[in-house]
Amino acid sequence: MEEKKTMLSGIKPSGDLTLGSYLGPLHHWPKMIEEYDCYYFMADLHAITVRQNPADLRRRTVEQLAQYIACGLNPDKCTIFVQSHVHQHAELGWVLNCYAMFGELSRMTQFKDKSAKNADNINGGLFTYPSLMAADILLYQPDLVPVGEDQKQHVELARNIVQRFNGVYGDVFKMPEPYIPKVGARIMSLTNPAAKMSKSDNGDTGRVTLMDDPNVIMKQFKRAITDSDTERCVRYDPENKPGVANLMQIYASATGKTFDEIEREFDGLGYGRFKPAVGEAVVEMLRPIQDETKRILADRAYLESVYRAGAEKASRAAERTLRRVYKKIGFVAR
């Protein structure tokens, strides 16, 4: 029997998971666990490059774990863990800092973006976190790393580090490949269709979180930006009608309908009928996820058993890589 390829991905618990989080990566992760040996984690070490309220960070980390499971990630079929519970991430992150070049880190788009948004807290972690991200990836020797277009730069850095490190010490790290799903919506803010729906930006008034009350969801969709087109027709035209195209993407993801079918369904009806219909479809899509999340959160013993078992399994895999790295660079064995 052919051995499964390894895949790894994580999401920062820096904000509540949104509709964009679900329709982007989370919706597709459960399908991957049948085909790949998958590692999924809560990237809490990455979250603290921006100041977090400690109680909120703990709450969101546990809630995110419950939502992972509620969205279809079976802990018996994949490894789910909290990043800070696996100390090898921070240890290899430091080592890889010494193999990432200053110029590479300074060119990272997200460093520039986050520095602009957090001008009073441009810390060292904000600058070097791509090295930690490379460690997250390389510890598990994955074949594939699911990423959005905005994360490809980080995988490229990890690949540069692999080439540099292996060039000195031999075949230590497997060269990871970015995996960009062909299906997977990039959901934009409902009030600013030029910006991605954000889970960590509290200024994004156009976001819908996975646990929002149905009344809140409906309110958000009714006030969603469409366009100033006098036709007021539902037509998929991302360039000229980005707000409508975003709503159509959401509706298509929630119902399984094609853009052509959606256009026919709302032909002549206008946005007053279209926007509430999108909201209702999202409410029904999220209802079972919300119910299952609440059920799981009520069982703290189960949640603890999941993240303990996940950390133990992840640590075993990570330690094999870390020991090899330490030996290669000349550290005395402990």
Side-chain angles (χ1 to χ4, degrees):
M1 184 177 176
E2 188 178 346
E3 189 175 342
K4 284 185 176 181
K5 289 185 175 181
T6 301
M7 183 177 282
L8 172 134
S9 195
I11 299 176
K12 288 183 296 185
S14 53
D16 295 322
L17 291 178
T18 68
L19 178 64
S21 308
Y22 176 64
L23 294 181
L26 265 174
H27 183 60
H28 303 285
W29 285 359
K31 303 168 191 172
M32 294 176 179
I33 63 178
E34 301 300 330
E35 188 176 349
Y36 301 99
D37 180 15
C38 293
Y39 290 81
Y40 295 120
F41 63 99
M42 279 59 69
D44 55 344
L45 292 177
H46 285 290
I48 64 170
T49 58
V50 176
R51 293 287 177 264
Q52 302 289 333
N53 177 290
D56 287 343
L57 180 59
R58 273 189 289 271
R59 172 188 62 80
R60 285 194 301 261
T61 302
V62 174
E63 285 183 358
Q64 191 168 302
L65 170 62
Q67 288 168 341
Y68 276 12
I69 300 169
C71 287
L73 291 183
N74 184 341
D76 295 330
K77 293 186 175 182
C78 62
T79 306
I80 308 174
F81 64 98
V82 179
Q83 184 188 24
S84 63
H85 290 181
V86 182
H87 62 83
Q88 292 89 349
H89 284 254
E91 291 187 48
L92 185 60
W94 168 250
V95 173
L96 298 189
N97 267 336
C98 303
Y99 293 85
M101 298 298 105
F102 184 90
E104 290 174 320
L105 296 174
S106 65
R107 287 192 293 272
M108 289 288 142
T109 303
Q110 289 205 6
F111 170 68
K112 297 172 185 175
D113 292 346
K114 289 188 177 183
S115 296
K117 291 179 182 177
N118 301 276
D120 59 340
N121 183 29
I122 305 176
N123 56 70
L126 198 61
F127 186 71
T128 62
Y129 84 92
S131 298
L132 176 59
M133 192 173 287
D136 299 335
I137 295 169
L138 300 181
L139 274 172
Y140 302 96
Q141 306 285 3
D143 300 275
L144 300 167
V145 184
V147 290
E149 286 289 350
D150 57 340
Q151 294 288 339
K152 277 188 73 175
Q153 198 179 24
H154 295 113
V155 179
E156 287 306 315
L157 175 67
R159 288 170 60 84
N160 290 345
I161 290 173
V162 169
Q163 193 170 31
R164 190 172 296 135
F165 196 94
N166 287 0
V168 177
Y169 302 107
D171 190 16
V172 178
F173 295 119
K174 183 181 288 186
M175 183 68 78
E177 296 289 341
Y179 174 81
I180 302 173
K182 292 179 182 178
V183 288
R186 189 168 191 263
I187 302 303
M188 314 306 280
S189 168
L190 299 182
T191 53
N192 179 14
K196 194 167 81 166
M197 187 179 286
S198 173
K199 66 180 175 7
S200 53
D201 181 3
N202 292 325
D204 181 6
T205 58
R207 64 180 177 176
V208 170
T209 75
L210 290 193
M211 300 304 290
D212 274 345
D213 182 90
N215 291 329
V216 172
I217 294 173
M218 291 303 299
K219 181 180 177 182
Q220 291 293 76
F221 277 99
K222 286 176 181 177
R223 64 198 289 265
I225 294 292
T226 49
D227 58 46
S228 56
D229 191 337
T230 54
E231 288 181 274
R232 300 183 66 77
C233 68
V234 176
R235 186 177 74 249
Y236 190 71
D237 184 355
E239 186 173 341
N240 298 306
K241 299 164 76 78
V244 175
N246 187 43
L247 291 173
M248 289 182 70
Q249 177 72 76
I250 294 169
Y251 192 64
S253 299
T255 63
K257 295 178 180 179
T258 66
F259 294 143
D260 286 342
E261 289 172 335
I262 295 168
E263 288 177 9
R264 288 195 296 271
E265 181 180 352
F266 294 97
D267 184 27
L269 297 181
Y271 303 148
R273 294 279 294 277
F274 177 51
K275 293 197 287 186
V278 180
E280 288 166 6
V282 169
V283 167
E284 292 309 310
M285 178 179 67
L286 295 184
R287 192 186 303 280
I289 294 172
Q290 292 181 350
D291 291 345
E292 183 66 1
T293 297
K294 291 171 186 174
R295 186 192 70 77
I296 294 169
L297 283 171
D299 191 347
R300 298 292 289 206
Y302 169 70
L303 277 171
E304 283 190 22
S305 72
V306 170
Y307 67 65
R308 285 177 188 274
E312 288 173 8
K313 184 179 175 184
S315 290
R316 285 196 297 272
E319 184 63 20
R320 286 194 293 271
T321 299
L322 189 67
R323 283 184 183 178
R324 192 173 182 194
V325 169
Y326 276 8
K327 182 178 180 180
K328 290 287 186 180
I329 62 179
F331 289 172
V332 175
R334 54 186 166 188

